[in-house]
Amino acid sequence: MTTVRTAIVIGGGIAGPVTALALRRAGITATVYEAYPTTASGVGGTLALAPNGVAALRTVGAHEAVTAIATPIHRSALAVSRRRIDMPTLTGVPPLRVVHRAELYQVLHDQAFAEGVPFAYGKRLVDAEQTGDGVIARFEDGSTATADILVGADGIRSTVRGLIDPAAPGPRFTGLLGFEAVARHEVDAEPGTMTFAFGRRGYYLYWPEPGGGTRWGANLPQQRPMSLVEARAVPTEQWLDTLRASYGDDDPGRELVATSNADDLQVVGSLQIMPPVPHWYRDRMVLVGDAAHAPSNSSGQGASLAIESAVQLARCLRDLPDVQSAFAAYVRLRRTRVEKVAARAARINHAKAPGAVARTLMPLLMPLMVRTVLDPEKTIADEQRYVIDWDAPVTPRPPFNAGRAPR
């Protein structure tokens, strides 16, 4: 049984509220501190929650509220030029869920708040001091907070990561620039079908939007990274001109861009990933979610892995007697899994910007690709069927040659 009773959670996005909910179920009182003055409202596009992510939400009682605001994706297809082929589906797993990022933030906040988790806004962490039996967090406004542990759920540009290890790597640019919008054009696809399309100059995906129209996202090759502030400083009509030039020869990319309103275009910005982070914890500070592992959006697993890690961290703190053994067990349970997902996503990123020869061959290779490298049983089955057993006790690392690893 842990001696940890209180926690400071830095970050009120996805991982933060889930961490607080999971810690509460482990008997630990957590307060969430968010740098921005309010919850996100209308910010950002959509994200996917894989079945494993929804299963982890079930552990903290948030799965019903989240699935209620999500669009289920039951099937997928691959399109190159004018050729389209349906992709096989995994058997025995629920559908992928697509949800608006801001709505997901709000639902998770509301769930945590309803269960008694306190939130403090406008609290930007600048430093943390570790004492013999706790942590003192210092915020930009001069205030402080004290608890037994501090959890960094503060995203890909994590302040806590730098406090744990000043030499920790930062996010890396994938070479892609992201956009999202809803077009008035209706594509020829059944509801609940997501199509992954390789255009002549860029990759895009789309699915029928409930209520009409087609939601689409684009990943354009980009020479240099742009901050989100830089990308959003460019007039959206100018970005639409770029997208028209990029997808003007594609079907239905041409129609999707042409029937999208500049006011509705979401500029996601340069897509970034986290390289492997050597140190996820130090003393009484620990990382969770994107602060520790942020695979490319190509994985479809970023949010789901963050939710899983929040739950696993709480299990370890619940069952192990001291902070260091709990954090060590948490890393053992998570690192291999998240780095395997990140490696798969990196391979997909390379495929999103194929050269001229590859684009020519892809229509011919599509049936073979679907049976081999795109077969979900061979690529994502282990990811999506993964379910955390909350009730199973976490055991410390066994002695050398003792037999089995911790559950």
Side-chain angles (χ1 to χ4, degrees):
M1 180 66 68
T2 184
T3 57
V4 174
R5 291 291 175 262
T6 57
I8 295 166
V9 178
I10 304 298
I14 296 172
V18 176
T19 299
L21 282 166
L23 289 174
R24 186 175 179 83
R25 280 161 174 73
I28 299 168
T29 300
T31 300
V32 178
Y33 294 85
E34 167 58 45
Y36 292 99
T38 62
T39 56
S41 178
V43 175
T46 58
L47 58 83
L49 284 174
N52 51 287
V54 177
L57 284 174
R58 184 183 299 275
T59 301
V60 297
H63 62 293
E64 291 183 352
V66 171
T67 55
I69 61 169
T71 299
I73 300 296
H74 300 276
R75 63 192 70 83
S76 58
L78 182 68
V80 181
S81 216
R82 296 183 183 277
R83 183 164 188 183
R84 174 191 170 95
I85 186 168
D86 291 333
M87 295 171 63
T89 58
L90 281 177
T91 58
V93 297
L96 189 75
R97 306 280 179 169
V98 177
V99 62
H100 291 273
R101 183 179 295 272
E103 292 183 6
L104 178 60
Y105 289 166
Q106 190 64 55
V107 164
L108 293 176
H109 167 275
D110 292 349
Q111 180 76 29
F113 187 78
E115 295 195 19
V117 173
F119 284 77
Y121 290 94
K123 297 293 183 180
R124 185 174 296 278
L125 183 75
V126 294
D127 198 6
E129 176 187 347
Q130 305 203 59
T131 64
D133 58 356
V135 181
I136 302 172
R138 303 187 187 283
F139 300 100
E140 192 175 60
D141 63 2
S143 63
T144 62
T146 304
D148 294 331
I149 61 169
L150 184 147
V151 181
D154 48 345
I156 198 167
R157 303 188 190 283
S158 170
T159 297
V160 179
R161 186 174 61 237
L163 295 176
I164 289 173
D165 178 9
R172 291 179 184 169
F173 177 45
T174 63
L176 298 168
L177 181 66
F179 302 90
E180 185 175 320
V182 176
R184 295 185 297 279
H185 178 70
E186 303 285 348
V187 294
D188 183 18
E190 292 184 41
T193 301
M194 183 177 286
T195 301
F196 303 90
F198 291 85
R200 292 190 61 184
R201 297 180 181 84
Y203 164 89
Y204 62 108
L205 76 167
Y206 56 88
W207 63 93
E209 179 80 344
T214 303
R215 183 169 291 274
W216 58 275
N219 290 167
L220 284 179
Q222 186 186 25
Q223 291 298 316
R224 69 170 186 87
M226 298 176 70
S227 70
L228 190 56
V229 172
E230 286 181 292
R232 289 182 175 172
V234 177
T236 51
E237 189 58 51
Q238 186 174 324
W239 282 127
L240 273 179
D241 288 342
T242 300
L243 292 165
R244 291 185 191 108
S246 299
Y247 297 108
D249 297 330
D250 298 326
D251 179 15
R254 173 179 55 252
E255 290 79 11
L256 294 177
V257 178
T259 61
S260 295
N261 191 314
D263 292 339
D264 296 329
L265 182 69
Q266 292 274 357
V267 182
V268 180
S270 298
L271 304 182
Q272 309 216 24
I273 60 173
M274 277 304 301
V277 174
H279 305 291
W280 288 20
Y281 68 93
R282 178 170 65 85
D283 298 331
R284 290 177 172 269
M285 296 190 295
V286 65
L287 302 175
V288 71
D290 284 356
H293 50 77
S296 156
N297 68 333
S298 303
S299 71
Q301 282 284 354
S304 295
L305 291 179
I307 294 165
E308 284 182 3
S309 288
V311 173
Q312 291 287 40
L313 175 62
R315 284 184 68 224
C316 293
L317 286 165
R318 176 195 67 190
D319 293 343
L320 297 177
D322 62 88
V323 171
Q324 294 307 295
S325 62
F327 288 172
Y330 160 65
V331 174
R332 291 199 304 273
L333 287 171
R334 299 304 296 158
R335 185 182 287 279
T336 299
R337 175 168 169 78
V338 301
E339 291 184 357
K340 183 178 179 180
V341 172
R344 178 181 66 81
R347 293 192 294 271
I348 296 173
N349 281 343
H350 290 301
K352 283 184 175 181
V357 174
R359 283 197 303 271
T360 301
L361 293 176
M362 281 183 74
L364 303 175
L365 296 175
M366 281 169 65
L368 177 62
M369 292 168 62
V370 167
R371 292 195 303 271
T372 56
V373 296
L374 296 178
D375 182 351
E377 290 291 346
K378 298 176 181 177
T379 55
I380 61 173
D382 290 345
E383 293 177 14
Q384 296 201 4
R385 292 192 175 120
Y386 181 86
V387 177
I388 297 169
D389 185 352
W390 173 260
D391 294 326
V394 179
T395 57
R397 181 189 291 275
F400 185 66
N401 284 339
R404 56 192 178 86
R407 289 190 289 178

